[in-house]
Amino acid sequence: MGTIVLNNVSKSFGDVVIIPGADLEIRDGEFIVFVGPSGCGKSTLLRLIAGLEDLSGGRIVIDGVDASDQPPSKRGLSMVFQSYALYPHMSVRNNIAFGLKMAGLPKPEIAAKVARAAATLNLTDYLDRKPRQLSGGQRQRVAIGRAIVRQPKAFLFDEPLSNLDAALRVNMRIEIMQLHQSLGATMIYVTHDQVEAMTMADRIVVLNKGNIEQLGSPLELYNRPDSLFVAGFIGSPKMNILENNTIGIRPEHLALSEKSGEWEGTVMLAEHLGSDTYLHVDAGRRGMLTVRASGEFPVGPGGKIWMTPEKGRIHRFDAQGRAIR
Amino acid sequence: MATQQTRALGRIAVAPSVIALFLWMIVPLAMTIWFSLLRYNLLDPNPACSPLTPWALTDPANRCLAGASNYYYFLTDPAFFRAIGNSLQLVGWVLAISVIGGILLALLLDQAIFGRNIVRLMIIAPFFVMPTVSALVWKNMMMHPVSGFLAWLFQLFGLQPIDWFAHAPMTAIVIMVAWQWLPFATLILLTALQSLDEEQKEAAEMDGAPPLSYFWHLVLPHLARPITVVILIETIFLLNVFAEIYVTGSGGRAGNMPFLVYQYGLISNDIGGASAGGIIAVILANIVAFFLMRMIGKNLEA
Amino acid sequence: MARAVSTRRRMFFTAFAWAIAFVIFFPILWTILTSFKTEGDAIELPPKFLFFQWTLENYGIVQERSNYLLFAFNSVVLALGSTIFALLIAIPSAWAMAFAPGKRTKDLLMWMLSTKMMPPVGALIPIYLIFRDFHLLDTRGGIIAVLMLLNLPIIIWMLYTYFKEIPGEILEAARMDGASIGKELLYVLTPMAIPGIASTILLNVILAWNEAFWTLSLTTKDAAPLTQFIASYSSPEGLFWAKLSAASTMAIAPILVLGWFAQKQLVRGLTFGAVK
Ligand SMILES: Nc1ncnc2c1ncn2[C@@H]1O[C@H](COP(=O)(O)OP(=O)(O)O)[C@@H](O)[C@H]1O
Ligand SMILES: [Mg+2]
C-alpha cells in the first residue's frame, strides 16, 4: 500500500510563503512527477511529505494515517537525494544495510535483503567498495538500493538524475521505470526537466510558485494545458504564444508549405536534427515562430514559407492566462 | 532545514554546554563581586568591622561588609598602576613584534626556498613550548647575566652583558612572550598568504608590479582579516600572561594585572582586595574586548 | 605552475630563512643540547656546542629526584581527560548549531567565544575557595573540570566549523533510514567527522598540556602536571642547568611532536575557522 493524500498543505519559511496550499491525492502504485522551474518549491513539497520539514498548515495522510506530526523515520518512506547523500565512511554493503540495521532486523535477513537489492541493481561486485570509489551512475544505484531494501510505502526522488551525463541519464531513467514496474510501488519523482516528466510519469503535477498549476497524465497536459504556464512548460520545442498571450500553437501543429497557407513568414534559422528540422520563422506582425518540419526541409534562411495551424490544435487563453475551452 | 522536533532536540543538545559555560562565567563572577565588597582575609580571622554594619557576618571567616573600600585600596595601590602599565606594555609590544615580524617572516617563507617545511617547523616550535619551560630556559640559560648564552654573545661583540631581570625585567618578559607568539602570527599569516591565488601572484609579476606596490595593493588587503584575527586572539591570551612572570620571579617590577590579583589573593590572602582587583581586570578586559570587537567586527563578518 | 625563480634569489632567501629559523629555534635546541651535558659543561663559557662529554645521567636524576613520571602522567590525564569530557558535551552542541540552527545560534557562538575573553583572574579567587572547601584542590577531577570549561568554547567552535562542511542531506538520509538523533550522531556524523574531531583533540591536548595559570594555582603535588613540575625548578634547583634542561626537554618533547603534526589544525582552531 502507498497512498498519500495532501490536504491543503502549506509551507512558509519565516514570512516567505513557499507553498500557499496544495491538495493532492497520490494513488497506490502510481508514478507521479512534480515538475516545475527551479525554485518553485518542488523539493520543499517533497521534503514536507518526507517529514524533513514541518508543515506550516494542512495535513498529510499516508495510507489513511495522519502523518503530519510523524518524524521521517515513522512514515515508512524512502528518499533518493539529488546529491545521493551516501554515507561516505561506509561500504556499499553497509550503506544499503544501514536502514535495516536501524530497524533492528536480524543479521542473516539483512544480508539476504542486501544481496537481493544488489543483484537487482548490478551492484554485487561493488559491495565492499566505498562510495568514493564508484562512478556517478553506480553511486546513484547505491542510493536507490538503499531506498528499496526497506520496502517503503513510497519512494521519493529529488532530481536523482541531474548529476549524471546525458547518456547515463537516459539509461537510468529506463532503469527507474523498470524498477517501478517490478516493485509496483508508489513513486514521487521531482524534476525540472519536462522531458523526464513526460516520459516517466503516470501523472504529472506542474508546480508554479508553489501552486499546483495542473495535475494530469502527460498527454492530458500536452493536449489540454489549463494555463499559459503549463502550455509553455510542457512540450519541446516550446509552444508558440501569439497575439498578446491569447493564442498558443505547438511547433509540430503547424503545417508547412512553400506555396500557400494561412500565415506567411521568412525563415531566419534552420536547426537540422536529421529526423526533424526546426525552423525559426519571422511571421511579421505575429512575431517569431518555431515550426517543426518532419525530416529535411528544403527552404533555408531567407526563404519564404507559409504555415497553417492544424484544426483543433489552437489553444486560447484569457487575460489571466487560463485556458478558454 | 530542520523540523521542530530536531530543533527541540537541538536545544537539549546545546543545553549542557551552554549551562556549563554560563555557570563557569556567572558563578565565579558573582562570587568575586560579592567578595570584593567584603573585608575578608584568610589570615586575619578578626577584621576590624565597623559595629555600625548591620550586615556584619558572624561566620568563621569573620567576613564583614566593606563597601567600596577594597576598590579604593586596590585602585590607590601604586602596584595597580604599575600592573596596568605592565599589562598594556606587554600586550602592545608583543602585538607589534609578532604582527610586523609575522608579516615579514610569512613573506619570507612564502618564497621558493629550499627546505621550507623544516624551516617552518623550526619557526613554529616555540609556540608549543610550555610557558613555564620557556620562562626558566630564558631566565637561566639564555639571559643569565654571567653564564647565559646572551651574555656570552654580548661579550663576543665587545658589549657589556645585561642583567636582564635586574635591570630590564619588562624587556625580558616581552622577549620571552614574543618568542612564543611570533611563531603563531607567522603560521597564521603564512597560511593565509598561501591561499592567495597563485595566478594572482603570477599576474602581478607579469605586470611587472614593483614588489612594494604589489605588497601594498594585493598582499596586505588579503592579509587584513588574518591580521585582525591574530590581534584579537593574541590580545586575549596576552592580557592573561601569568606563568612567565610568576616563574621568573619578576612580578615585583614586571607584574601585570593577573599577577597582582594572584599576589593579593593567594600570597597575601586578602580575598576582598584580590576580588576587587579581579573585577577591575574583568572590566578592563571587557573595555579592550569591546573596542577590539568593534574595530575588527567588520573584518570578521561573512 | 611553478614560477621561474632565479637561483641566486632563491639561495639568498633560503640562507636568510634558515638563519632566522635557527635563531628562533635556538633556545629549544640549546635546551636539548644542555640536557646531555654535565652540570660543569652546562655553565661553561664559551659555550660548548657539540664537543662535550655527552651524558644521559640528567634524565635519570630528574626522574629519581622529582618523580617526573607522576607529573607526566598527570599531564596526560588532565589533557586527555579534559578534552574528552569536553568533546562529549561539545559534539551534540556543535551538531545542533550546525544542523538545526535557530535564530540565535550565531549569537550563542559569539557568546561562547566571549567567555574566553573573561580574564581568569576574575574567577581565580572563588574557584580557589570553592576548590578548597570541596577538597578539590590538587585533585585531578577538579583540574579536569576547569580545563574542560576553559577549552569548551574552542572545541565547540572547531567542531562547528568542521560539521558545517558535512552536507546536511547525509544526516537527513540517515533520518529517512530510521535513525534516531542519537544514532545519527553516533553512526553517521561522528565517523564522518573523525578527521575534524581528531584535529580538535590534538589542538586541545596541546592547549591543556601547556595551560599554566590554573594548574599552577590549583595544584601542588598529587594532581600537578608538568607545568608545576618545571615551575618547581625555578629555585634553587634552577641553578642546575643540565637537570633543568633534561626536565624541560621531557616536558616539551611530546607536545612539540604533536604540535608539528597539528600546524594546520592549530591555525583553524585558534582562529575559530576564520583562516583555513
Ligand atoms: N530552509 C529554507 N529557508 C528559507 N527558504 C528556503 C529554504 N528551503 C528552500 N527555500 C526557498 O524555497 C523556494 C523553493 O525551494 P525548493 O523547494 O528547493 O525549489 P525547487 O526544488 O523547486 O528548485 C526557493 O525560493 C528557496 O529559496
Ligand atoms: Mg530542488
Side-chain angles (χ1 to χ4, degrees):
Chain A
M1 279 292 283
T3 64
I4 298 172
V5 178
L6 309 191
N7 209 323
N8 197 21
V9 160
S10 65
K11 176 68 185 173
S12 325
F13 290 110
D15 298 335
V16 190
V17 180
I18 303 295
I19 313 267
D23 287 290
L24 183 63
E25 279 189 35
I26 298 167
R27 303 170 194 139
D28 183 32
E30 183 170 39
F31 196 111
I32 196 154
V33 174
F34 294 173
V35 71
S38 95
C40 70
K42 307 178 295 285
S43 298
T44 305
L45 193 55
L46 195 71
R47 290 164 57 80
L48 285 170
I49 297 171
L52 293 171
E53 302 278 1
D54 287 323
L55 294 173
S56 299
R59 292 193 318 149
I60 292 176
V61 179
I62 299 173
D63 276 353
V65 178
D66 188 341
S68 309
D69 294 324
Q70 283 180 341
S73 53
K74 292 272 166 4
R75 299 193 184 190
L77 308 175
S78 282
M79 183 145 168
V80 176
F81 293 85
Q82 179 171 4
S83 63
Y84 316 141
L86 301 179
Y87 310 122
H89 57 293
M90 295 183 198
S91 64
V92 168
R93 185 191 311 281
N94 287 334
N95 260 284
I96 297 177
F98 187 74
L100 302 175
K101 284 184 188 158
M102 290 299 108
L105 259 58
K107 279 214 173 94
E109 200 179 328
I110 294 180
K113 288 192 173 193
V114 170
R116 204 169 332 129
T120 314
L121 292 161
N122 286 326
L123 284 171
T124 310
D125 293 339
Y126 306 100
L127 280 175
D128 292 313
R129 292 208 191 164
K130 290 276 171 63
R132 66 170 173 278
Q133 298 165 308
L134 301 177
S135 69
Q138 289 164 336
R139 285 179 207 184
Q140 180 62 73
R141 282 202 190 87
V142 177
I144 293 173
R146 191 167 65 177
I148 63 176
V149 275
R150 294 179 48 230
Q151 290 165 317
K153 293 175 189 151
F155 290 86
L156 312 179
F157 293 90
D158 191 355
E159 310 217 14
L161 307 185
S162 57
N163 286 339
L164 301 178
D165 60 47
L168 205 52
R169 205 159 7 181
V170 175
N171 285 342
M172 282 307 295
R173 206 155 81 192
I174 293 167
E175 275 190 49
I176 291 176
M177 287 158 72
Q178 285 170 341
L179 199 67
H180 177 241
Q181 276 173 4
S182 63
L183 297 176
T186 311
M187 291 188 175
I188 306 177
Y189 187 104
V190 162
T191 179
H192 65 268
D193 178 354
Q194 61 93 22
V195 177
E196 255 173 46
M198 294 294 283
T199 50
M200 298 175 84
D202 293 330
R203 285 197 301 165
I204 296 177
V205 176
V206 182
L207 285 173
N208 182 21
K209 299 193 183 120
N211 288 304
I212 296 183
E213 282 274 336
Q214 190 170 358
L215 166 67
S217 73
L219 286 180
E220 272 166 19
L221 298 190
Y222 178 82
N223 291 325
R224 296 174 57 81
D226 278 348
S227 66
L228 208 51
F229 178 82
V230 176
F233 195 79
I234 300 288
S236 171
K238 274 172 73 121
M239 183 187 284
N240 296 300
I241 306 291
L242 313 168
E243 318 265 327
N244 273 335
N245 294 337
T246 56
I247 302 279
I249 178 80
R250 295 194 185 278
E252 55 271 36
H253 296 151
L254 284 166
L256 276 174
S257 159
E258 289 163 74
K259 299 185 193 75
S260 64
E262 276 185 36
W263 300 345
E264 185 188 338
T266 312
V267 176
M268 305 303 290
L269 187 76
E271 294 179 69
H272 299 280
L273 301 184
S275 59
D276 294 304
T277 305
Y278 295 139
L279 300 176
H280 297 267
V281 181
D282 184 352
R285 64 169 184 85
R286 290 199 172 79
M288 289 295 296
L289 294 181
T290 310
V291 187
R292 195 196 70 181
S294 210
E296 292 289 313
F297 190 74
V299 181
K304 275 254 178 300
I305 55 163
W306 282 262
M307 299 157 288
T308 310
E310 281 177 31
K311 280 261 162 344
R313 291 294 197 172
I314 290 189
H315 304 266
R316 296 177 194 283
F317 303 97
D318 64 17
Q320 280 73 47
R322 298 271 108 204
I324 305 169
R325 302 210 168 99
Chain B
M1 264 296 275
T3 60
Q4 267 168 23
Q5 211 186 6
T6 47
R7 230 173 268 128
L9 275 164
R11 271 194 286 277
I12 296 171
V14 284
S17 309
V18 172
I19 292 170
L21 281 175
F22 184 73
L23 292 179
W24 168 243
M25 203 162 91
I26 217 66
V27 171
L29 189 63
M31 285 175 75
T32 307
I33 293 176
W34 170 236
F35 291 158
S36 73
L37 302 173
L38 298 179
R39 182 154 304 161
Y40 183 6
N41 191 311
L42 294 176
L43 291 186
D44 179 10
N46 230 335
C49 290
S50 154
L52 291 176
T53 315
W55 309 78
L57 301 164
T58 50
D59 62 354
N62 262 336
R63 300 175 287 191
C64 62
L65 216 55
S69 66
N70 284 321
Y71 288 93
Y72 178 76
Y73 285 120
F74 195 92
L75 288 169
T76 52
D77 185 345
F80 165 68
F81 289 100
R82 206 162 49 222
I84 295 264
N86 286 338
S87 275
L88 294 181
Q89 271 192 54
L90 183 61
V91 174
W93 279 111
V94 175
L95 272 184
I97 294 172
S98 60
V99 169
I100 296 171
I103 293 174
L104 295 176
L105 273 180
L107 285 173
L108 178 61
L109 293 189
D110 195 37
Q111 304 297 321
I113 54 176
F114 293 108
R116 177 158 68 188
N117 284 337
I118 298 174
V119 168
R120 201 175 60 185
L121 284 186
M122 285 165 69
I123 289 183
I124 188 63
F127 186 69
F128 299 117
V129 172
M130 177 178 291
T132 47
V133 167
S134 129
L136 284 185
V137 165
W138 277 96
K139 182 183 179 184
N140 293 303
M141 282 134 62
M142 301 305 294
M143 291 179 166
H144 191 277
V146 180
S147 329
F149 191 83
L150 290 180
W152 174 74
L153 264 189
F154 273 62
Q155 275 173 344
L156 207 63
F157 291 101
L159 297 169
Q160 182 67 31
I162 301 174
D163 186 350
W164 294 91
F165 285 93
H167 298 127
M170 200 57 220
T171 313
I173 299 284
V174 166
I175 291 176
M176 269 164 42
V177 177
W179 178 68
Q180 297 221 273
W181 286 96
L182 173 62
F184 171 77
T186 306
L187 182 67
I188 304 264
L189 298 177
L190 179 61
T191 308
L193 212 51
Q194 284 171 339
S195 74
L196 188 63
D197 213 303
E198 190 70 18
E199 278 182 23
Q200 271 184 325
K201 293 185 197 173
E202 275 178 26
E205 278 189 6
M206 301 281 278
D207 289 350
L212 214 61
S213 104
Y214 164 72
F215 173 77
W216 197 253
H217 293 292
L218 197 74
V219 177
L220 212 54
H222 181 76
L223 288 184
R225 182 185 165 91
I227 288 175
T228 47
V229 171
V230 166
I231 292 177
L232 174 66
I233 289 163
E234 287 198 6
T235 306
I236 295 173
F237 280 89
L238 293 174
L239 276 174
N240 296 324
V241 163
F242 172 75
E244 288 85 345
I245 295 167
Y246 169 83
V247 175
T248 55
S250 48
R253 293 183 43 209
N256 58 358
M257 282 299 287
F259 186 82
L260 186 63
V261 173
Y262 175 87
Q263 205 174 24
Y264 261 76
L266 272 57
I267 296 179
S268 310
N269 287 293
D270 178 2
I271 299 300
S275 300
I279 294 304
I280 292 166
V282 169
I283 293 169
L284 292 177
N286 274 297
I287 293 173
V288 174
F290 175 78
F291 282 112
L292 218 55
M293 293 291 258
R294 256 174 63 125
M295 228 167 57
I296 62 193
K298 259 203 210 110
N299 234 319
L300 275 178
E301 282 298 313
Chain C
M1 268 279 291
R3 283 172 296 160
V5 180
S6 77
T7 317
R8 256 183 57 198
R9 183 177 148 170
R10 193 167 173 174
M11 293 310 285
F12 171 75
F13 280 128
T14 301
F16 197 44
W18 277 89
I20 289 181
F22 181 77
V23 169
I24 290 181
F25 189 64
F26 182 77
I28 297 173
L29 181 68
W30 194 236
T31 305
I32 297 172
L33 283 178
T34 307
S35 72
F36 294 111
K37 295 178 182 174
T38 61
E39 291 296 350
D41 282 342
I43 55 166
E44 183 85 17
L45 281 183
K48 296 187 169 179
F49 287 95
L50 289 173
F51 303 104
F52 52 83
Q53 186 66 48
W54 289 72
T55 171
L56 280 173
E57 69 175 6
N58 297 311
Y59 287 90
I61 295 172
V62 164
Q63 160 60 16
E64 225 170 78
R65 277 220 203 128
S66 40
N67 202 1
Y68 165 83
L69 286 177
L70 172 69
F71 291 95
F73 176 73
N74 282 335
S75 271
V76 171
V77 169
L78 299 188
L80 278 181
S82 63
T83 304
I84 286 168
F85 280 112
L87 271 183
L88 288 183
I89 64 170
I91 288 179
S93 302
W95 163 79
M97 293 198 269
F99 296 110
K103 283 190 207 76
R104 282 186 297 277
T105 296
K106 273 258 138 63
D107 296 335
L108 202 59
L109 276 164
M110 287 313 285
W111 171 75
M112 288 187 170
L113 178 57
S114 76
T115 64
K116 287 292 299 176
M117 304 214 179
M118 178 92 158
V121 286
L124 172 67
I125 301 299
I127 296 291
Y128 181 82
L129 293 177
I130 291 172
F131 269 47
R132 188 196 60 181
D133 294 345
F134 287 88
H135 304 289
L136 290 170
L137 280 177
D138 209 16
T139 61
R140 290 189 197 113
I143 305 291
I144 283 179
V146 167
L147 292 180
M148 170 188 129
L149 289 164
L150 215 53
N151 287 337
L152 191 58
I154 292 186
I155 293 186
I156 291 177
W157 260 90
M158 278 185 83
L159 289 178
Y160 172 78
T161 64
Y162 283 114
F163 287 178
K164 277 299 241 191
E165 288 173 5
I166 291 175
E169 282 197 347
I170 296 183
L171 300 189
E172 289 178 344
R175 228 168 285 167
M176 292 300 294
D177 263 344
S180 63
I181 298 290
K183 286 182 174 163
E184 175 185 320
L185 277 176
L186 188 61
Y187 294 121
V188 182
L189 180 64
T190 304
M192 279 177 67
I194 287 279
I197 292 174
S199 311
T200 308
I201 292 178
L202 203 56
L203 177 63
N204 283 280
V205 164
I206 293 171
L207 291 178
W209 186 278
N210 287 343
E211 200 294 318
F213 179 79
W214 291 102
T215 50
L216 289 179
S217 308
L218 299 178
T219 67
T220 46
K221 202 168 109 280
D222 293 343
L226 289 167
T227 45
Q228 187 65 270
F229 165 77
I230 296 297
S232 72
Y233 274 76
S234 53
S235 62
E237 285 136 288
L239 301 177
F240 298 103
W241 288 4
K243 286 177 204 66
L244 168 65
S245 295
S248 297
T249 303
M250 286 196 282
I252 62 173
I255 231 59
L256 215 50
V257 174
L258 282 188
W260 279 339
F261 283 115
Q263 291 179 59
K264 278 229 175 62
Q265 292 77 315
L266 179 108
V267 172
R268 183 173 176 145
L270 280 183
T271 61
F272 299 95
V275 178
K276 281 177 199 164

